[in-house]
Amino acid sequence: MKPITGIVITLNEQQRIAACIDSLQRVCSEVIVVDSLSQDDTVRIAEDKGARVLLQEYLGDGPQKAHGVPHATNDWILTLDADERLEEDAVAAIQALTLDDPTLAYRFKRRNFCANHWIKAAGFYPDEVVRLYNRTTSGYLPKKGHASVRAPKVLDTGTHIRHFTYDGLSHWIQRIDQLSTRDAWAMKERGVAPSAWRPALHAASATLRKLILKGGILQGTDGLTVTITTAFHAYMKYAKLNELYENENHRDNR
């Protein structure tokens, strides 16, 4: 196996960063943490674990994940979020790879957890993500929300990343508030126009997709929970986009 650089982006992740670095160090020769100016002990903990920390004000999901790549010693890059861990099957699969083909990137399946409960319903599993790639041919697209890796070829490893998505239902709602704010900001940066109808239309579309197309209606409480929270997220990000424009217009008209 060729040497790999692990990259993780952080903001106030003192409770999770140590375990994430431990997970990366099982397969990586170095770990880089790109920190968005945390106000807790994230940076100190990361450095104590042997990671190299780069301080960078948040640029958006894709640009932030790409920021550490030029600083890597190795061409092969493995990215995790601070709330993710490699499962044993993923560790074994990565260790067995020769990594001889730089045009090939590797996909993993995420197990998303709410507290100790694995959520499989309405598209929450397998939730496939590309996380191991060679920087000479591949990399994160410059999307500011929900960024993904573009690569010439992708191989599905069939193995797993464990994602501690939410500490509980209250945390789930808090994350929707945070992520919908980020998504609204990213859409405005892309020039998406405000619309009185778009919040409701996207919420209705999300409900149809999760409840019917993804089978949530047949998957009990989990299916209903995923449907409602997804629709709420869709509604709020477009409502917040409208709010950003309203606030801007209010400032301009003073």
Side-chain angles (χ1 to χ4, degrees), residues 125-154:
Y125 183 80
D127 189 19
E128 295 176 324
V129 289
V130 175
R131 292 301 179 79
L132 177 60
Y133 64 93
N134 191 294
R135 67 179 175 183
T136 64
T137 65
S138 312
Y140 272 94
L141 294 170
K143 289 178 59 179
K144 295 190 176 182
H146 304 291
S148 58
V149 172
R150 175 183 287 168
K153 298 182 292 185
V154 175

Side-chain angles (χ1 to χ4, degrees), residues 88-153:
E88 292 298 327
D89 61 349
V91 172
I94 293 170
Q95 290 174 339
L97 293 173
T98 59
L99 300 179
D100 288 331
D101 184 355
T103 67
L104 192 59
Y106 297 89
R107 182 188 293 119
F108 302 84
K109 299 176 180 179
R110 288 201 301 184
R111 301 186 205 263
N112 295 296
F113 283 79
C114 180
N116 296 317
H117 183 55
W118 176 17
I119 305 286
K120 308 175 191 177
F124 260 45
Y125 183 80
D127 189 19
E128 295 176 324
V129 289
V130 175
R131 292 301 179 79
L132 177 60
Y133 64 93
N134 191 294
R135 67 179 175 183
T136 64
T137 65
S138 312
Y140 272 94
L141 294 170
K143 289 178 59 179
K144 295 190 176 182
H146 304 291
S148 58
V149 172
R150 175 183 287 168
K153 298 182 292 185

Side-chain angles (χ1 to χ4, degrees), residues 60-99:
D61 193 48
Q64 196 76 358
K65 288 179 176 177
H67 180 76
V69 173
H71 301 272
T73 302
N74 309 305
D75 286 335
W76 284 96
I77 307 295
L78 174 63
T79 60
L80 287 183
D81 291 336
D83 56 0
E84 294 176 340
R85 315 285 179 262
L86 297 172
E87 294 200 2
E88 292 298 327
D89 61 349
V91 172
I94 293 170
Q95 290 174 339
L97 293 173
T98 59
L99 300 179

